[in-house]
Structure formats: C-alpha cells, structure tokens
C-alpha cells in the first residue's frame, strides 16, 4: 500500500489539540513521517503526546529523536500551550489508533473499537471486526449482534470520532510478521519508542546526556497511552 503523506485524516483533533496538530503535521511531513494523533493529557502536570509513523507504520527511537528535535523550536515559536509541559513523541503502537482510510484497509479482519461523533440508528459505540473498506466508509461486523439482526454496519469515515485496534493474538501475529518483513536496524533495537522534553528546553531530553530517558521495547511493550 502506498504511503501518502497528504492522505486525509478523518479523525482529527479539536480545540487546542487541533492548533498543535497544525504546527506538528508540516514538520513531521517534512521529515517523511505521517502524523497519527496529537493528545494533551494531565500526566506529569501536562504532557503533549504526539504519535507519528514511517511508511511501515512504525517509529523507531531515531525517528522519535529526529521529530522531537525539529518540533521543539517550532513549538517554542508558536507557543500554543501557555504552561510548562512535557513533549512525548511515540509510535502508534500495536493496538494503534486508526485515523486514515489506509489504516482501516490495512487491518481488515481485525477487531476494532469505534466511537462515532454522532449516533447512527441510536448507536454510538461499536466493537467488532473490520469486514470491508471502500472510499468513504468501513463495514464492521458485530459478533454480539442479536439473533435475527444484521451484524454488519456501514460507518462513514466522516462520522467516526475515535477508532482503535483491540489487542488480540491475531494482531500480535500481524505485528510479528510486519517486523520480520521490515526489521529495525541493529543500532535501533535498544529501542525507546518515545522521547520526552520540557517545552522550555532548547533540545529534547533524548539529546541531553544528563537527563534520564524512559525506555521501552517496541515488540513487547507498545508505547504508553493515557486516556
């Protein structure tokens, strides 16, 4: 599947997160990365979490450091968050958010949780497997549909507020196969999947030898996600 940096994200941020994403996305694209999501949480006082990916849907520690380094001056100039915050750059993880059509198409047959922006036929939340994807919508099959009802629901992309894969054995196996097809270089396998920095630092913590970095392994422990 082709990697289009300009492909529309159907699931977008609002408010302050949308303002931050307008700063982040062109920086990420300039490095050849796609923005997945921007999220602001109250973790550690205030944390700006940025998920991005390369053409294989992953993000190594080297990529995290590149994006963090280029983002810091852009965020300092625009100063969208009027308080001290931590910058956290990460991969989407195995049970990743789905934000573009290509994401849904890549995971046909896998379990997903979906929350709509508005109700369709009196329902807003769906959990099932992706049966099919077309240009405008996906079809989700609900395994717990009542007897005598159609288990398939067509959900237009523009109605989706949030979508996320469910961790399953099948998903773990797909991740293993993807890893074998696109192995990470040896010098990147020590792997921290995200780097953190304070907004008043000139460089990221990953560039500061005196700053402790939070470490994780890409295969066994996908990046933290704070809800």
């Amino acid at each position: 599947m082709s990697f289009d940096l300009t492909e529309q994200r159907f699931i977008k941020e609002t408010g302050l997160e949308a303002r931050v994403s307008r700063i982040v996305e062109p920086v990420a694209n300039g490095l050849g990365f796609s923005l997945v999501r921007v999220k602001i949480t109250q973790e550690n006082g205030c944390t700006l979490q940025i998920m991005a990916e390369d053409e294989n849907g992953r993000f190594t520690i080297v990529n995290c450091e590149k994006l963090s380094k280029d983002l810091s001056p852009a965020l300092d100039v625009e100063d969208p968050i009027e308080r001290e915050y931590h910058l956290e750059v990460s991969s989407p993880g195995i049970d990743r958010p789905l934000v573009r059509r290509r994401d849904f198409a890549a995971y046909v047959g896998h379990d997903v949780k979906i929350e709509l922006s508005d109700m369709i036929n009196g329902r807003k939340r769906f959990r099932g497997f992706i049966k099919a994807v077309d240009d405008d919508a996906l079809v989700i099959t609900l395994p717990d549909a009542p007897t005598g009802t159609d288990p398939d629901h067509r959900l237009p992309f523009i109605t989706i507020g949030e979508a996320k894969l469910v961790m399953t054995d099948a998903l773990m196996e797909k991740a293993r196969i993807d890893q074998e097809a696109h192995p990470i270089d040896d010098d990147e396998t020590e792997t921290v999947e995200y780097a953190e920095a304070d907004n008043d630092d000139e460089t990221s913590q990953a560039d500061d030898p005196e700053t402790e970095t939070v470490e994780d392994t890409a295969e066994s422990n996908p990046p933290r996600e704070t809800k």
Side-chain angles (χ1 to χ4, degrees), residues 79-140:
D79 198 20
I81 303 175
E82 297 179 352
R83 58 181 293 191
E84 183 177 339
Y85 63 89
H86 300 279
L87 173 62
E88 179 182 288
V89 179
S90 75
S91 78
I94 296 174
D95 54 341
R96 57 166 297 152
L98 306 178
V99 299
R100 294 177 171 88
R101 179 195 175 280
R102 69 171 182 243
D103 299 337
F104 292 92
Y107 289 94
V108 168
H110 288 274
D111 289 355
V112 64
K113 288 182 180 179
I114 294 177
E115 182 167 349
L116 304 181
S117 300
D118 298 296
M119 287 188 178
I120 292 180
N121 298 325
R123 184 166 187 160
K124 195 172 183 180
R125 294 181 178 87
F126 297 80
R127 176 172 176 172
F129 68 86
I130 303 172
K131 182 177 182 180
V133 174
D134 59 33
D135 288 343
D136 303 310
L138 76 145
V139 176
I140 185 172

Side-chain angles (χ1 to χ4, degrees), residues 164-176:
K164 186 176 184 292
L165 290 170
V166 177
M167 187 69 77
T168 62
D169 290 343
L171 185 61
M172 292 290 289
E173 177 64 10
K174 175 176 170 55
R176 184 190 67 79

